[in-house]
């Protein structure tokens, strides 16, 4: 049996629904913030209708996600999580290293 692939509007709509729920918003609350009707949001979330570029940007802003996250499938979202975790660890190491160098420099300066 062949897996049925989601269309882009269905993938986008499912992600809007997922991030809306993660934000603790109802369709009514999100539609008010987006200045659209609840029915319009509902048909976007089901993938029946696609959002305009301006609305995609507004949705991403209100839900505090990147527009790319609204189009990402589960596999690419998992890959983004791995990449972000690596970046976070690397940044933490760099900050720790800079802190240690700064601390050593201050101690050396004070001991002169």
């Amino acid at each position: 049996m062949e897996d049925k692939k989601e269309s882009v509007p269905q993938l986008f709509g499912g992600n809007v629904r997922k991030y809306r729920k993660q934000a603790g918003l109802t369709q009514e609350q999100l539609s008010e913030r987006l200045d659209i009707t609840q029915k319009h949001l509902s048909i976007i979330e089901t993938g029946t209708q696609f959002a305009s570029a301006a609305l995609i940007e507004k949705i991403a802003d209100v839900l505090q996600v990147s527009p790319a996250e609204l189009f990402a499938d589960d596999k690419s979202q998992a890959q983004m999580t791995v990449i972000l975790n690596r970046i976070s660890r690397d940044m933490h190491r760099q900050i720790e290293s800079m802190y240690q160098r700064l601390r050593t420099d201050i101690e050396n300066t004070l001991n002169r």
Side-chain angles (χ1 to χ4, degrees):
M1 182 181 237
E2 188 177 306
D3 288 336
K4 187 175 179 185
K5 189 174 179 178
E6 280 185 305
S7 70
V8 172
Q10 290 170 329
L11 177 63
F12 175 82
N15 284 335
V16 170
R17 183 181 322 103
K18 176 178 77 173
Y19 289 118
R20 172 181 59 79
K21 288 181 177 185
Q22 283 180 3
L25 298 172
T26 64
Q27 278 188 343
E28 183 178 6
Q29 291 168 323
L30 180 57
S31 63
E32 286 175 7
R33 292 183 188 186
L34 297 173
D35 198 27
I36 62 174
T37 66
Q38 185 177 350
K39 181 176 174 104
H40 187 184
L41 179 59
S42 176
I43 61 177
I44 289 171
E45 285 189 357
T46 60
T48 305
Q49 184 177 344
F50 200 62
S52 68
L55 185 54
I56 291 168
E57 187 174 14
K58 198 170 184 181
I59 291 168
D61 186 51
V62 170
L63 295 178
Q64 298 181 338
V65 297
S66 72
E69 289 174 285
L70 295 173
F71 291 94
D73 59 16
D74 290 339
K75 182 179 177 182
S76 58
Q77 287 180 352
Q79 290 170 338
M80 281 193 287
T81 299
V82 169
I83 291 167
L84 289 173
N85 286 338
R86 286 180 185 163
I87 290 169
S88 178
R89 282 193 309 269
D90 289 346
M91 288 178 62
H92 178 74
R93 284 188 205 116
Q94 289 175 358
I95 291 169
E96 183 65 32
S97 176
M98 289 171 37
Y99 170 77
Q100 292 299 330
R101 280 184 271 164
L102 181 60
R103 184 176 177 176
T104 300
D105 288 348
I106 291 171
E107 288 173 354
N108 289 340
T109 300
L110 293 174
N111 290 332
R112 287 186 189 166

